[in-house]
Amino acid sequence: MSQELDLANKWLDFTIESFVENMRKLRIQDTGTLMASFKKQVIGSAEGRLQLQLSYALYGKFIDMGVGRGMGQGVRRGDDGYDRIRTSRGRLRRKERKARKWYSREMAYQTKRLAELMSELHGTVLISSVSDALPAQDVTIIF
């Protein structure tokens, strides 16, 4: 169980580093709030199952998909930030939104990699358990 916890913590650390690196490559660091919003947790249960929890700011998903209003929640016509982002007719000043895939591809790859690492770990543990259970002397089988 401790090997699984170590592996899960290392995987979460590496995954967060990969996400931050992707954001830097794609220049998604307006204020740095999204990069600082990552939180991770590994929860072990009595049945020996692990639960990994990775959370980040919600607007990061909108950046990944290339959608959203382009304004903070609660900004209305006449507010300070409105004129900076939208025209008097309500249209966005920038031409178009573009999906910046910092999350989806990396998460698919990292999830697959975690599955491979866990199966490798369990395979190694299984082989060592079987070899420990075998008797120390030669075993003769007669058919």
Side-chain angles (χ1 to χ4, degrees):
M1 184 70 170
S2 67
Q3 291 176 334
E4 289 177 348
L5 283 171
D6 291 341
L7 180 66
N9 278 317
K10 288 177 185 176
W11 178 83
L12 281 169
D13 291 338
F14 185 78
T15 302
I16 290 172
E17 287 175 21
S18 298
F19 286 154
V20 170
E21 182 62 33
N22 282 347
M23 284 184 225
R24 285 194 177 116
K25 257 194 272 186
L26 296 170
R27 296 185 182 134
I28 306 172
Q29 52 190 20
D30 298 331
T31 62
T33 308
L34 180 57
M35 288 184 195
S37 70
F38 284 101
K39 293 187 180 22
K40 63 181 176 109
Q41 186 177 11
V42 179
I43 305 165
S45 68
E47 298 96 36
R49 297 181 67 191
L50 285 179
Q51 183 179 4
L52 282 68
Q53 198 170 43
L54 178 65
S55 59
Y56 56 91
L58 177 63
Y59 74 90
K61 193 124 182 137
F62 301 137
I63 292 171
D64 182 70
M65 293 184 289
V67 298
R69 290 181 28 197
M71 300 190 312
Q73 183 177 356
V75 175
R76 304 273 186 256
R77 187 175 298 208
D79 291 348
D80 282 342
Y82 188 85
D83 293 333
R84 180 177 48 87
I85 297 169
R86 296 197 175 246
T87 65
S88 60
R89 297 184 69 201
R91 295 193 177 176
L92 286 172
R93 290 190 186 274
R94 56 183 171 235
K95 298 289 184 201
E96 65 181 68
R97 293 186 183 100
K98 192 165 81 171
R100 294 185 279 176
K101 301 284 186 189
W102 68 271
Y103 172 80
S104 52
R105 287 183 189 154
E106 188 67 29
M107 192 60 183
Y109 171 74
Q110 292 298 339
T111 304
K112 180 182 179 291
R113 185 68 185 130
L114 178 64
E116 291 170 353
L117 290 171
M118 284 296 186
S119 65
E120 184 179 314
L121 175 67
H122 285 290
T124 307
V125 169
L126 179 65
I127 289 171
S128 66
S129 296
V130 168
S131 64
D132 290 344
L134 289 175
Q137 299 174 350
D138 292 339
V139 176
T140 307
I141 301 174
I142 301 172
F143 291 99

